[in-house]
Amino acid sequence: MQAISRLKELLRTPKKIVITTHQKPDADALGSSLALWGYLKKYGHQVQVITPTDYPDFLAWMNGNDHVIQYDQSQKSMEISNKIIAEAEVIFCLDFSDLKRIEPMDKPIRYAKATKVLLDHHQGNTKFADIEFWDVKASATAELVYDLIIDMGDKHLLDIPIAEAIYAGVLTDTGSFKFPSTSPKVHMVIADLMTIGIKAAQVHRNIYDNNSVDRLKFLGFALQEKLIVKPEYKTAYFAITSQELRSFNHKTGDTEGIVNYALSLKDICFAAIMMEKPDCIRISFRSFGNFSVNEFANKHFNGGGHRNAAGGKSMLSLAETVAQFERLLPIYQNILLEA
C-alpha cells in the first residue's frame, strides 16, 4: 500500500501526465493506457497518451483513440511528443518493464524529470521507475489498472469506456480466458466490469471479427505454405519474408495471433513466428507447460516477456535466424519432450 499512498500524494493536485506503452501496442497495452487516460482525466489532470509506434486498426474503437499521438509517425509528432514528455510531471509506463521496449522513445522518457510510475506484469523488470505496480502473476496490465482504480478508492469512477478498455486488455492477454493466468480473481473483475454495463460480445467482435480480406488470405497462405513442424522437438514455427508480407498488403496487427495456430497443433508445446522487418527479424514465441519462452527469448534472441508468451529479435538474416533457431532445438529437446 506504500505505492498507493505515494501515488495519491503525487496526484493530489492536477498534473501534466504522459502515458506510454511498448512498441506495436496490443489490446492490453492500448486498453490499459486508454483506461488510465479516462480515469486520470476525471481528476482534472492534463493527460496525453503517446505510443512509440502505430498499432492495429482493430483497436481504434477504444474511447480516447483519437487523442493518441504516435511518436514515430512524423518528425512533427516526434517534436511535439518530446516537448510534452519534457514538460510532464508524471509519466506512467504501462505494459513494459524495460525502456528498450519503447524505442525510439526510450531516451526522452529515460531523461525526463517527471516521476515515473510503472504498471506491468512482464518479467525482467529493469527498475527504472520511481513508483511500481509490478505483478508478474497478474493476467494483464489492464487488470493492474483496474486494481489501481479500486485501491485509490475510485470504483465509482469506473464507467463503460474505461471498463471496455480494461476488458479488452484482459480478454486478449488471457487468450479469451484460456491461459493459466486466468485466476478466480480475473473472473470476478470481469463480472464487475459487466455489471457496469459493458457489452462483452461487442468488444470481442471489435477485436477478433474485424479481419480484412488480405489478412485472411495471408493466414491461409501461412498455414498452407509456411508452417514448419518439428515433432521430434514438439515444436512448430513460421518464417515469413518481407516480400511475402508485402504481397498481402501487410498492416500492423495482421500477424497478431498467427503463432497460436502453430501452438494449437496436437502434441506441440513450443511455437514461433519469425518475420523479416526492415530493421531486424521480429519473433514471437509461445509455449505450453514448463518450457519458459521468456528465458529462451532472453538468452538467445534479445527479448523476453512471460513464461509462456514472449518476443525477441535477431539482427541476422531470416535464413540465418531460422538456422540458429533450429540449432537450439536439440539443446532443449529433453525439456520440450517433458513439457
Side-chain angles (χ1 to χ4, degrees):
M1 295 302 290
Q2 184 179 1
I4 284 289
S5 298
R6 291 179 65 191
L7 187 61
K8 281 184 177 180
E9 179 60 27
L10 181 64
L11 300 179
R12 188 169 51 84
T13 56
K15 294 289 192 300
K16 293 181 179 180
I17 297 175
V18 167
I19 300 171
T20 192
T21 187
H22 58 74
Q23 303 159 337
K24 301 295 181 182
D26 54 12
D28 187 29
L30 190 66
S32 58
S33 296
L34 290 177
L36 184 62
W37 172 83
Y39 165 66
L40 293 172
K41 283 180 68 66
K42 292 191 174 189
Y43 272 104
H45 298 293
Q46 185 177 325
V47 193
Q48 180 63 59
V49 177
I50 306 175
T51 61
T53 64
D54 66 344
Y55 45 85
D57 290 343
F58 59 75
L59 300 180
W61 59 270
M62 292 187 190
N63 184 59
N65 171 72
D66 292 344
H67 300 285
V68 176
I69 297 175
Q70 295 175 17
Y71 187 85
D72 71 345
Q73 188 175 43
S74 66
Q75 184 62 36
K76 183 177 180 181
S77 66
M78 292 176 67
E79 291 171 357
I80 292 171
S81 298
N82 286 337
K83 184 176 186 295
I84 294 171
I85 291 168
E87 294 175 354
E89 298 167 275
V90 184
I91 297 176
F92 281 89
C93 299
L94 272 56
D95 207 36
F96 68 95
S97 292
D98 188 332
L99 288 172
K100 291 188 296 185
R101 294 291 316 281
I102 62 169
E103 294 174 349
M105 282 178 58
D106 53 325
K107 289 183 179 178
I109 296 292
R110 183 185 302 277
Y111 297 117
K113 296 179 181 179
T115 300
K116 298 176 185 69
V117 183
L118 174 75
L119 283 85
D120 187 42
H121 67 138
H122 293 90
Q123 298 177 2
N125 187 353
T126 57
K127 300 292 182 179
F128 65 86
D130 303 295
I131 301 174
E132 291 186 349
F133 299 91
W134 180 58
D135 183 0
V136 296
K137 294 181 180 179
S139 67
T141 296
E143 181 186 342
L144 297 177
V145 171
Y146 172 88
D147 291 342
L148 178 72
I149 294 171
I150 300 302
D151 291 343
M152 292 284 281
D154 290 328
K155 183 176 181 178
H156 63 286
L157 295 181
L158 284 168
D159 57 22
I160 289 178
I162 293 173
E164 285 181 337
I166 292 173
Y167 180 82
V170 176
L171 170 70
T172 53
D173 258 32
T174 59
S176 298
F177 313 108
K178 68 182 180 182
F179 294 160
S181 59
T182 308
S183 64
K185 181 202 165 192
V186 167
H187 287 296
M188 288 188 286
V189 169
I190 297 306
D192 195 20
L193 299 179
M194 295 183 72
T195 300
I196 292 168
I198 67 168
K199 296 179 179 179
Q202 186 59 51
V203 174
H204 193 284
R205 180 166 176 77
N206 287 342
I207 293 172
Y208 293 116
D209 300 330
N210 218 346
N211 293 309
S212 66
V213 173
D214 284 330
R215 184 183 187 277
L216 284 185
K217 287 184 175 180
F218 173 74
L219 173 60
F221 166 76
L223 292 172
Q224 178 69 30
E225 304 291 339
K226 306 300 294 185
L227 177 63
I228 304 297
V229 182
K230 298 284 185 178
E232 66 272 30
Y233 304 114
K234 296 175 71 174
T235 295
Y237 70 87
F238 301 94
I240 311 294
T241 69
S242 58
Q243 177 57 45
E244 289 164 343
L245 292 172
R246 285 194 299 270
S247 67
F248 289 93
N249 301 309
H250 174 265
K251 296 187 298 182
T252 296
D254 281 356
T255 56
E256 187 85 17
I258 289 180
V259 66
N260 294 321
Y261 285 91
L263 193 62
S264 72
L265 289 167
K266 182 181 179 181
D267 296 327
I268 295 298
C269 69
F270 181 30
I273 182 168
M274 294 166 261
M275 295 170 290
E276 186 179 38
K277 297 300 181 71
D279 57 336
C280 66
I281 307 302
R282 296 283 175 181
I283 314 172
S284 291
F285 300 105
R286 298 292 184 270
S287 69
F288 280 138
N290 295 324
F291 183 68
S292 173
V293 290
N294 173 66
E295 293 179 10
F296 183 86
N298 183 266
K299 186 172 182 179
H300 302 293
F301 291 100
N302 193 34
H306 304 293
R307 182 176 188 83
N308 298 119
K313 64 181 180 180
S314 168
M315 303 310 294
L316 303 172
S317 70
L318 181 61
E320 290 169 330
T321 301
V322 170
Q324 179 186 2
F325 179 77
E326 291 202 346
R327 282 196 301 270
L328 291 168
L329 293 178
I331 299 173
Y332 291 92
Q333 184 173 28
N334 289 339
I335 300 173
L336 289 167
L337 293 179
E338 293 174 0

